[in-house]
Amino acid sequence: MTGGFIIVDCTIDLARRASFLDMAVAFGLFRSGGDSVERTAADICRYFKMKVEAADIQPTFTRMLEQQQIALHPKKPAHYVMTSAGQAAFECVFFGFMRFVDGGQNRFSLAALWQLATANLDAIVDPVTRDLKIDPERLFGPKKETH
């Protein structure tokens, strides 16, 4: 592990398998530290402003569990957490996707974007004003990571 990040090479198989729903599930689990299928469905429904039921996303949880990207929470029944392998996989896909979005121009700090994407939102967003509690300048600037 280097600088808090697990370095992993993406394979075409990994990139091909990761769907947008997989990413939404992963980020929900990163942020919450462990959540249920029902709560994740409610979050996706809220963020995407669409109807999503637990049954709609249960197959994604089942597949991610079989691929050992997530595991049952050790203390909370019917809750899931990211595994270290799952974290490495989704970190790899996220960094690749963000480099693709940026067109390889390094206009964003990928580490800061990763921190924002995986942070407990209550810790970084003011609940009243909805303003970021972190300096938004950290999201921009030359890439210092080796991802």
Side-chain angles (χ1 to χ4, degrees):
M1 201 155 144
T2 305
F5 293 95
I6 299 170
I7 307 298
V8 65
D9 290 329
C10 281
T11 64
I12 192 68
D13 188 45
L14 172 63
R16 186 180 302 140
R17 273 194 329 248
S19 74
F20 199 77
L21 180 56
D22 293 351
M23 292 294 289
V25 168
F27 285 125
L29 296 179
F30 282 131
R31 288 177 175 167
S32 67
D35 227 334
S36 66
V37 176
E38 292 78 12
R39 178 69 187 158
T40 302
D43 286 345
I44 292 170
C45 182
R46 186 174 75 248
Y47 289 129
F48 288 91
K49 299 184 185 309
M50 59 188 277
K51 184 178 179 183
V52 178
E53 302 290 335
D56 297 327
I57 65 170
Q58 181 62 57
T60 298
F61 273 80
T62 300
R63 183 177 35 75
M64 291 174 75
L65 188 63
E66 289 169 353
Q67 293 173 351
Q68 300 179 343
Q69 294 172 336
I70 63 174
L72 287 169
H73 194 288
K75 296 181 181 175
K76 295 181 183 177
H79 282 63
Y80 297 86
V81 295
M82 294 301 298
T83 63
S84 57
Q87 179 174 337
F90 286 98
E91 182 180 309
C92 181
V93 171
F94 175 83
F95 276 79
F97 183 72
M98 293 312 300
R99 282 191 294 269
F100 186 79
V101 167
D102 185 43
Q105 299 300 307
N106 297 325
R107 291 175 283 213
F108 306 105
S109 166
L110 296 182
L113 287 173
W114 177 256
Q115 180 183 358
L116 180 64
T118 60
N120 177 327
L121 297 181
D122 293 334
I124 64 168
V125 176
D126 185 287
V128 176
T129 65
R130 303 306 296 160
D131 292 332
L132 281 175
K133 294 179 185 178
I134 63 171
D135 181 6
E137 293 298 318
R138 290 178 53 202
L139 300 178
F140 302 99
K143 182 177 130 188
K144 296 178 185 172
E145 305 82 26
T146 59
H147 298 283

